[in-house]
Amino acid sequence: MHSLLYLSFAMIAGLLATRAAKKVHLPNVTGFLVAGLLIGPYIFNLIPSESLEGLGFISTVALGFIAFSIGGEFKLSNIRAVGKNAVIITFAQALATVALVDLALWLFGYDVPLAITLGAIATATAPAATLMVVRQYKAKGPLTNMLLPVVAMDDAIGLMVYSISLTMAKALSSGQAITSRTMLVEPLLEIGLSLIVGVAIGFLTSLAMRFFRSKGNRLSICIASVLLGVALAKAYHLSDLLLCMAIGAAVVNLREDSSALMDHTDAWTPPLLMLFFVISGSELNIAMRPSVGVLGTIYILVRSLGKYTGAALGARIVKAPQTIQKYLGITLLPQAGVAIGMAQVASTALPKYGATIHAVVLCATLIYELLGPIATKIALTKAGEIAVKPKKSKAQLLSE
């Protein structure tokens, strides 16, 4: 009874947040996080801390659908269409970000498990925030054409890097000796099994759709597939993010009508994702903010540096136009759902560092979602891909 009541509070708060966010021209995800913070146990306590654990299944399921949606962007024909340049740039900026954040946190004396986990989370971007800016201002040009495939592939690469880093972090945190098994074999085995199981479920999903043709039935199949994937991942200690991403990737590559299928699923998930972000905001302990201030500042600054320099380096390697070399990294700063999802998983896998990781990522998300879209707009304008309306003269203003 109480769980249903708290879910209703979360949804009402989320709905009100969308109106407030629209008034101040901010992304909805920022409003959801702030709404969760306000109704959570650390401010107005409409959702007590002991009740948040009972709502954890919402976050688990939402993460599965976030990963499934990312997999839907991983269509082989699309990757071939954008060419190797986008792939090279994506890998360059992701790996540069991981390396710089890992190194910076280690040099500042933070524990290695904490450093490598935050380094992996730093790779994630927020495709929705970037796409929102592109659509709103009708941006067109070489930078926009490169930006869209890079943000689509970035989270897929980030999930793989994250799986390897988290496995290593768990081994280090538990005091296990670092061996080739813990460094390479176990992470690669987890990734491989997650992808194999996900592809198998995706194949069965696409096969089942031959016998069920209505929108409602096909939506039910997709939901059942994601729930099955999450359940198997939890039962056999696999990566639920990678597994569900593989389901989505298999479905879009096996079905010719994949775009319609993904649209049906995306139309069903907004209330679930709203709850996910509101609940995530509720878990942010503002009392921890002073203790993570330095750590959070390093994370934000070094991640931004990694995205910018990595994208510039990758663009230089493939001899991309100067506008891409100068401005692509700036457009990759927004960070939201996938990063929060990674932090949620880390909170369970690394109890010693979970609260710190969660606080850092949520605070960073709020800042990135406030400033990221603005930075993206400025970069696209500087690149000449957003039309700037000419200022009206005094005579024109007076004549209106």
Side-chain angles (χ1 to χ4, degrees):
M1 175 63 181
H2 285 167
S3 294
L4 294 177
L5 181 63
Y6 298 140
L7 284 177
S8 71
F9 287 164
M11 292 203 76
I12 292 170
L15 288 169
L16 294 175
T18 62
R19 304 302 302 170
K22 186 176 181 179
K23 291 288 185 183
V24 292
H25 307 290
L26 289 175
N28 281 344
V29 64
T30 307
F32 294 152
L33 292 172
V34 173
L37 177 63
L38 292 174
I39 68 172
Y42 306 105
I43 296 188
F44 292 122
N45 198 31
L46 294 179
I47 303 179
S49 56
E50 60 271 15
S51 301
L52 285 174
E53 292 184 11
L55 303 180
F57 73 96
I58 295 290
S59 297
T60 301
V61 174
L63 287 175
F65 282 98
I66 289 173
F68 180 79
S69 180
I70 292 171
E73 301 292 336
F74 224 60
K75 196 168 186 177
L76 295 179
S77 60
N78 293 342
I79 296 174
R80 284 193 292 266
V82 300
K84 66 179 182 180
N85 288 357
V87 177
I88 291 171
I89 292 173
T90 305
F91 270 100
Q93 57 84 26
L95 296 179
T97 303
V98 173
L100 287 178
V101 174
D102 284 357
L103 180 61
L105 295 181
W106 177 69
L107 289 175
F108 274 88
Y110 292 99
D111 292 350
V112 174
L114 176 64
I116 63 177
T117 303
L118 282 174
I121 293 173
T123 62
T125 53
T130 302
L131 188 60
M132 177 190 68
V133 175
V134 170
R135 288 178 175 173
Q136 181 176 350
Y137 296 100
K138 299 179 175 62
K140 292 180 181 178
L143 176 59
T144 304
N145 293 340
M146 182 62 71
L147 167 62
L148 295 178
V150 168
V151 296
M153 291 186 290
D154 184 54
D155 284 337
I157 293 170
L159 286 177
M160 295 180 189
V161 173
Y162 176 74
S163 294
I164 295 173
S165 298
L166 185 63
T167 303
M168 292 170 55
K170 286 191 289 187
L172 290 168
S173 181
S174 62
Q176 295 180 25
I178 299 300
T179 63
S180 58
R181 179 181 177 85
T182 56
M183 286 282 288
L184 290 174
V185 176
E186 290 181 0
L188 293 177
L189 185 62
E190 180 180 317
I191 290 174
L193 288 175
S194 299
L195 294 177
I196 290 171
V197 174
V199 169
I201 295 175
F203 172 77
L204 293 174
T205 300
S206 63
L207 184 64
M209 288 182 183
R210 294 183 181 181
F211 306 99
F212 299 92
R213 299 185 180 277
S214 71
K215 291 181 180 180
N217 284 337
R218 289 186 167 184
L219 174 61
S220 298
I221 292 171
C222 288
I223 294 172
S225 299
V226 173
L227 294 178
L228 175 63
V230 172
L232 291 177
K234 295 298 183 185
Y236 296 101
H237 306 289
L238 301 176
S239 169
D240 48 351
L241 294 174
L242 274 182
L243 196 154
C244 292
M245 185 188 78
I247 297 174
V251 169
V252 297
N253 284 289
L254 292 171
R255 297 288 308 182
E256 293 183 359
D257 57 352
S258 59
S259 296
L261 293 173
M262 298 307 292
D263 287 343
H264 296 336
T265 307
D266 290 343
W268 179 82
T269 54
L272 179 64
L273 298 182
M274 177 200 292
L275 285 172
F276 168 67
F277 288 119
V278 173
I279 292 170
S280 295
S282 300
E283 294 172 340
L284 178 57
N285 186 351
I286 57 175
M288 290 189 64
R289 188 173 57 185
S291 65
V292 300
V294 175
L295 175 60
T297 302
I298 296 170
Y299 174 84
I300 291 169
L301 294 178
V302 179
R303 176 185 178 269
S304 302
L305 178 65
K307 287 290 181 184
Y308 184 81
T309 57
L313 176 62
R316 196 165 299 155
I317 290 172
V318 302
K319 299 179 181 179
Q322 281 295 317
T323 53
I324 294 177
Q325 294 183 31
K326 289 175 64 176
Y327 300 116
L328 179 61
I330 298 174
T331 65
L332 299 175
L333 294 183
Q335 189 174 48
V338 176
I340 294 174
M342 291 175 174
Q344 290 277 19
V345 174
S347 297
T348 303
L350 301 170
K352 181 178 178 181
Y353 306 104
T356 300
I357 291 171
H358 196 254
V360 167
V361 172
L362 284 184
C363 290
T365 296
L366 285 171
I367 293 172
Y368 279 128
E369 287 298 286
L370 286 169
L371 302 181
I374 298 172
T376 299
K377 179 189 174 184
I378 292 172
L380 291 171
T381 303
K382 291 282 188 182
E385 300 188 10
I386 292 179
V388 179
K389 294 181 180 179
K391 291 184 178 179
K392 296 181 179 180
S393 64
K394 290 183 178 179
Q396 288 175 316
L397 291 172
L398 291 172
S399 64
E400 290 181 349

